């Protein structure tokens, strides 16, 4: 491989010593496979911020990290215009590692060995994209819940929406709107998938609406001639009212304690 074709690599691990070991190993295999470490990050959020400024060929990502783990990071990478290949790094030789292997997603076990790193990097070019469905399932099992952030494409940029700040999701044609106190975001998601992934946090009010349980402030019965809803949900912090169907009325009021 010519020097100008050196792989551009981003190291993502919350342990500085682990990142330093990878740097050392990359230097050891430089003659067989030239590479350039263009950045380091200690969690997935920091990695995505770096990738907005500096595209890379491959991300070496730890699986378990604070703020955003490697599984969720990989899911967001797939939304980039030119997604890098992902090689997972883990200290856990368990079902997740086996699943990655079966689905052609490479992994390295800590402590990383020189030859294993070389073999993984040699498979990077032409690597198929990571399967988002597999990542979503594994992520829920590893962290005991859904994603911490959702991806939003806006004017050529990738924005991250913290799930904890979302007051409600509302479906409209092919998009779903996520509303925070500050603004709305258009997501390429389905309401059904969001309801399944975040069942502990959100409740369905209507065929087109999910609301955060903690955002509910009260309810109003709709007028008899109101064809849009059986009732309306009032929210904390924003003036909008959300429609509640007859079918969901009792369950929603029970969740809100009213």
């Amino acid at each position: 491989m010519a020097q100008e074709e050196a792989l551009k690599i981003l190291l993502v691990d919350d342990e500085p010593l682990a990142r330093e070991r990878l740097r050392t190993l990359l230097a050891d295999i430089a003659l067989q496979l030239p590479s350039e470490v263009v950045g380091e990050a200690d969690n997935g959020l920091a990695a995505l911020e770096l990738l907005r400024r500096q595209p890379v060929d491959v991300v070496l990502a730890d699986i378990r990290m604070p703020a955003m783990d490697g599984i969720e990071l990989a899911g967001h990478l797939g939304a980039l215009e030119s997604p890098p290949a992902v090689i997972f790094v883990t200290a856990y030789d368990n079902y997740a590692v086996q699943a990655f292997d079966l689905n052609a997603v490479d992994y390295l076990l800590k402590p990383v060995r020189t030859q294993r790193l070389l073999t993984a990097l040699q498979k990077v070019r032409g690597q198929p994209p990571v399967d988002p469905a597999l990542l979503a399932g594994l992520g829920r099992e590893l962290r005991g819940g859904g994603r911490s952030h959702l991806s939003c494409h806006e004017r050529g940029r990738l924005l991250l929406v913290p799930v904890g700040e979302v007051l409600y999701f509302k479906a409209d044609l092919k998009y779903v709107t996520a509303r925070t106190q500050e603004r709305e975001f258009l997501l390429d998601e389905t309401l059904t998938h969001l309801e399944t992934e975040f069942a502990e946090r959100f409740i369905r009010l209507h065929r087109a609406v999910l609301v955060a349980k903690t955002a509910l402030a009260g309810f109003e019965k709709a007028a008899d001639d109101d064809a849009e809803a059986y009732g309306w949900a009032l929210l904390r912090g924003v003036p909008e009212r959300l429609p509640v169907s007859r079918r969901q009325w009792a369950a929603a009021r029970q969740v809100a304690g009213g």
Side-chain angles (χ1 to χ4, degrees):
M1 184 182 296
Q3 184 62 42
E4 61 269 22
E5 297 175 352
L7 285 176
K8 295 185 182 302
I9 297 176
L10 174 64
L11 306 180
V12 189
D13 197 306
D14 60 323
E15 299 178 3
L17 290 178
R19 300 197 303 270
E20 182 59 34
R21 175 171 175 80
L22 287 174
R23 277 186 175 272
T24 299
L25 296 179
L26 288 169
D28 290 343
I29 62 174
L31 290 179
Q32 298 103 307
L33 193 148
S35 65
E36 175 189 1
V37 176
V38 299
E40 296 185 13
D42 59 6
N43 61 66
L45 285 175
L48 286 168
E49 184 60 35
L50 286 170
L51 288 168
R52 289 191 182 103
R53 305 188 301 268
Q54 172 66 64
V56 302
D57 299 308
V58 58
V59 174
L60 293 175
D62 188 16
I63 289 180
R64 296 180 182 269
M65 295 181 290
M68 181 186 289
D69 61 36
I71 303 293
E72 185 172 351
L73 167 62
H76 290 298
L77 292 179
L80 296 176
E81 185 175 343
S82 299
V86 179
I87 296 174
F88 289 104
V89 181
T90 178
Y92 303 93
D93 186 9
N94 55 16
Y95 65 91
V97 168
Q98 296 167 8
F100 296 149
D101 198 31
L102 289 172
N103 286 272
V105 178
D106 213 337
Y107 67 90
L108 301 170
L109 282 175
K110 295 180 179 180
V112 178
R113 304 301 180 187
T114 306
Q115 186 58 46
R116 187 67 185 89
L117 175 61
L118 176 61
T119 300
L121 289 173
Q122 286 172 333
K123 298 192 294 184
V124 162
R125 298 200 188 278
Q127 187 83 354
V130 174
D131 183 347
L134 172 67
L135 291 176
L138 287 173
R140 283 195 296 273
E141 292 186 53
L142 284 170
R143 72 179 73 93
R147 292 166 285 176
S148 64
H149 292 72
L150 301 169
S151 298
C152 169
H153 292 275
E154 187 175 276
R155 295 189 291 275
R157 297 182 302 157
L158 175 66
L159 304 180
L160 294 179
V161 185
V163 174
E165 296 180 11
V166 176
L167 301 176
Y168 65 81
F169 297 110
K170 194 169 187 179
D172 183 18
L173 300 176
K174 61 179 286 190
Y175 290 101
V176 168
T177 299
R179 177 70 157 95
T180 67
Q181 284 200 353
E182 289 74 29
R183 54 166 294 187
E184 294 182 344
F185 299 87
L186 283 181
L187 308 177
D188 187 13
E189 302 266 0
T190 67
L191 213 60
T192 300
H193 180 86
L194 292 168
E195 182 180 23
T196 300
E197 185 172 359
F198 303 111
E200 293 298 315
R201 183 180 292 271
F202 293 87
I203 183 174
R204 186 176 287 272
L205 295 182
H206 184 273
R207 59 182 172 79
V209 178
L210 299 177
V211 67
K213 297 174 184 178
T214 56
L216 289 170
F219 295 88
E220 292 179 352
K221 197 74 175 290
D224 292 339
D225 59 351
D226 193 335
E228 186 178 352
Y230 180 76
W232 297 93
L234 308 179
L235 306 178
R236 306 180 195 279
V238 292
E240 296 102 297
R241 300 184 307 167
L242 297 176
V244 185
S245 69
R246 180 186 296 271
R247 182 178 180 181
Q248 299 298 130
W249 179 254
R253 286 174 59 86
Q254 184 176 10
V255 166

